[in-house]
Amino acid sequence: MSGSFGAGWLSFLFLFAAFVLSIVALASRDQGGKGIGVGALITSLLGGILTVVLTIASVFGSFASSFGGDAEPGDEGGYSYDEYSVPGIAAPGTDGQPDPGVAFAPPLQPSATETAFGHDYDDVWWYVVIVDNPNADYIFDAYMEVRAVTEDGSTVAPSTAFATLLAGQTAVVGYFFDVGETQITSIDVDLPRATDATLSPADETGSFTVDGISPSSSDSGATTATGTLSSRFAEDQQYVSITALARSADGAIVAAATSMVESVPGDGTPVPFEVWFSALPADATLQAFAHR
């Protein structure tokens, strides 16, 4: 792109010089007459306009080609492997990029496999959305809008949630504020589209592992869930979110909470975490997910 861009502007400078000389010719009786000056002026103006148009077309053409245009994965001229490295997501010993010539099936859209919500305190409600990314070779930097639905079908207290969706399930916790006396009956969530996927081959992508989650109760009735988090990434992971769910004996989610681990080594070294709940049923079981 830089070669055509520089040549275009160089020709523009020569045409500008011709424009100046044509003005001089028109102003001077000694430069070959008025007809030659007018012809030179018109030619330089047309040439200048054409040069600008061609230069802009060259810039945008190069820009489009560097991103593969509208090509599908695996098509000739599709994914540019230098463009689809995912910072911080590569597994140890990999570059986080697909091997040249490997074809990938088109990505599928994530789905919400389970949602739950509950009254926290005053007019604040918690919610959790478990999202399934069915793609082994794609991830999503997901922006999700979650809305509380009331008895009359209207929506209130919209909330936003962010997560990098690796393959499989990710649980995201958020809160509805200023709900007032309104009773929430369900929640509605907008998930990323399939076209929002980023190519990240399964054998090039790192992973999180949560182990040993267990509850401990305080004298006040609150419950602290503790466990360890480890990761296998080429880089240490910063500010990793832990989502902890409490399920009743019938499997329903009765509480959800979240906390954050500031730094998780990428070499698999486990680090402890804590997530705090208010009082939980005696028969509640705990489950935890991690995402960044």
Side-chain angles (χ1 to χ4, degrees):
M1 180 177 76
S2 61
S4 60
F5 183 80
W9 282 108
L10 183 59
S11 63
F12 180 80
L13 290 177
F14 281 117
L15 285 167
F16 180 74
F19 173 78
V20 173
L21 292 175
S22 67
I23 295 297
V24 173
L26 286 173
S28 174
R29 296 179 180 178
D30 299 328
Q31 299 297 323
K34 183 177 180 180
I36 295 176
V38 171
L41 177 60
I42 293 174
T43 302
S44 63
L45 289 174
L46 292 176
I49 293 171
L50 181 61
T51 299
V52 170
V53 171
L54 291 176
T55 300
I56 292 174
S58 174
V59 171
F60 278 92
S62 298
F63 177 83
S65 65
S66 70
F67 282 87
D70 295 326
E72 292 295 327
D75 289 350
E76 184 177 355
Y79 286 125
S80 170
Y81 299 113
D82 291 336
E83 300 289 349
Y84 283 83
S85 175
V86 184
I89 290 296
T94 73
D95 58 7
Q97 300 178 7
D99 295 329
V102 178
F104 296 88
L108 303 175
Q109 183 166 338
S111 61
T113 59
E114 191 174 6
T115 63
F117 57 90
H119 188 215
D120 202 351
Y121 60 90
D122 296 334
D123 59 352
V124 176
W125 294 59
W126 59 265
Y127 68 82
V128 61
V129 179
I130 299 180
V131 182
D132 180 61
N133 173 12
N135 304 284
D137 298 312
Y138 295 90
I139 68 167
F140 294 83
D141 284 327
Y143 167 89
M144 295 170 281
E145 182 171 307
V146 186
R147 297 173 294 275
V149 182
T150 62
E151 291 178 324
D152 61 4
S154 60
T155 58
V156 297
S159 174
T160 55
F162 303 87
T164 297
L165 305 179
L166 303 180
Q169 291 190 332
T170 301
V172 180
V173 168
Y175 297 89
F176 298 122
F177 297 96
D178 300 323
V179 176
E181 300 297 324
T182 302
Q183 292 297 304
I184 298 174
T185 58
S186 64
I187 62 174
D188 183 36
V189 56
D190 290 337
L191 294 175
R193 300 167 298 177
T195 53
D196 297 325
T198 297
L199 182 61
S200 185
D203 57 359
E204 299 274 343
T205 306
S207 62
F208 292 108
T209 301
V210 178
D211 287 313
I213 185 168
S214 60
S216 61
S217 299
S218 66
D219 294 339
S220 64
T223 298
T224 301
T226 59
T228 61
L229 171 64
S230 59
S231 73
R232 298 294 299 175
F233 292 93
E235 302 175 7
D236 294 350
Q237 298 295 293
Q238 308 299 320
Y239 303 108
V240 180
S241 294
I242 297 290
T243 295
L245 309 179
R247 294 182 181 272
S248 60
D250 63 1
I253 299 173
V254 294
T258 186
S259 68
M260 184 171 289
V261 179
E262 184 174 342
S263 182
V264 183
D267 62 3
T269 302
V271 294
F273 68 82
E274 293 185 349
V275 183
W276 182 87
F277 289 93
S278 57
L280 294 177
D283 60 353
T285 58
L286 299 178
Q287 181 182 18
F289 301 79
H291 69 83
R292 67 169 207 174

